[in-house]
Structures are given as structure tokens and as C-alpha cells.
Amino acid sequence: MLKGFKDFLLRGNVIDLAVAVVIGTAFTAIVTAVVNSIINPLIALFLKADATGKFGIQVPNIYGEMVTFPIGELISAIISFLAVAAVVYFVFVLPMNTFKARVEARKGTQAEEPEEEPAASTESELLVEIRDLLKAQRGA
């Protein structure tokens, strides 16, 4: 029963999916806080915010109103994604792959494959070998 549960957990797809969901959800709050408190103010140093607080390039539309292309949100989303992906990979996926490789290597050394026997010769090949042996004995 426990072996089946262990095999289920070590199947790979289950672990990868669980890690992605749990860590992605939990780590998103931290990344969002870092982006909002550090990255967005840095972006605001170079780009002006519009009335809604979005940072980006401001361009006037045909009515004379300013339209903001929210480059700050794009940069924030990219940084958030890269941070979550890096943590998931280096903290969970890489160690799990290393663990799986060790388990497979251990299985390979414990259960070595038996050596293959040479293929059986045909009757004519056996008769030729016997003839050659008889000739060698007569000559000696």
C-alpha cells in the first residue's frame, strides 16, 4: 500500500503539477509586494504615472486626452513570472530531478541485466564446426 503511494508521488507529473500550483500561489503574494514596493517606484523615476496611477508612456489621443501605455505593468508581470519560475525550478524541480536520477541509478546497479547468450547456431553452422574440429584432430 505504501509502495503504491510512493510510486504515485514519484511519478513526476503529479509532483510537478502540485509544486507549480502551491508555490505559484504562495509565492505570488511575495513577488507582488516586491514589485509594488521596489520595482514600480523605480519605474516611476523614469516614466510618468497617469491619473489612475499606471506608469508608462503617455501619448495624446485624437481628442487631446492622454493615453498611457502601461509599460510598468508589463515589466512587473515579467519580473513576477521570472521570479516565481526561478523559485519553483531551483527549489523543487531541480532537487526532484536529481532525486529521480539517483533512484534510477540505484535501480540500475541493483538489478543488472543478465548477459545475453550468443545466438544459437544453425544446424549447418554446427556441422561445419564439427567437421573443422575433426580435421584439426586428424592433423595433430
Side-chain angles (χ1 to χ4, degrees), residues 57-117:
I57 301 169
Q58 294 184 340
V59 179
N61 65 10
I62 59 173
Y63 303 108
E65 299 169 348
M66 296 304 283
V67 176
T68 303
F69 289 87
I71 302 298
E73 290 180 12
L74 175 63
I75 293 170
S76 297
I78 291 170
I79 291 171
S80 296
F81 172 76
L82 291 175
V84 170
V87 167
V88 167
Y89 179 75
F90 288 111
V91 174
F92 293 97
V93 174
L94 186 63
M96 182 54 71
N97 288 344
T98 305
F99 175 72
K100 284 183 191 176
R102 286 182 186 166
V103 168
E104 290 299 320
R106 202 173 300 139
K107 283 182 183 177
T109 58
Q110 289 177 354
E112 293 182 17
E113 295 179 14
E115 293 183 25
E116 292 183 21
E117 296 181 15

Side-chain angles (χ1 to χ4, degrees), residues 8-82:
F8 171 74
L9 289 178
L10 295 178
R11 193 179 309 161
N13 295 344
V14 174
I15 293 199
D16 292 342
L17 181 61
V19 164
V21 170
V22 171
I23 295 302
T25 302
F27 196 67
T28 299
I30 295 171
V31 172
T32 302
V34 169
V35 168
N36 288 338
S37 61
I38 296 173
I39 304 299
N40 285 346
L42 288 174
I43 294 170
L45 293 173
F46 302 102
L47 300 172
K48 186 177 177 184
D50 66 358
T52 62
K54 293 182 181 179
F55 302 105
I57 301 169
Q58 294 184 340
V59 179
N61 65 10
I62 59 173
Y63 303 108
E65 299 169 348
M66 296 304 283
V67 176
T68 303
F69 289 87
I71 302 298
E73 290 180 12
L74 175 63
I75 293 170
S76 297
I78 291 170
I79 291 171
S80 296
F81 172 76
L82 291 175

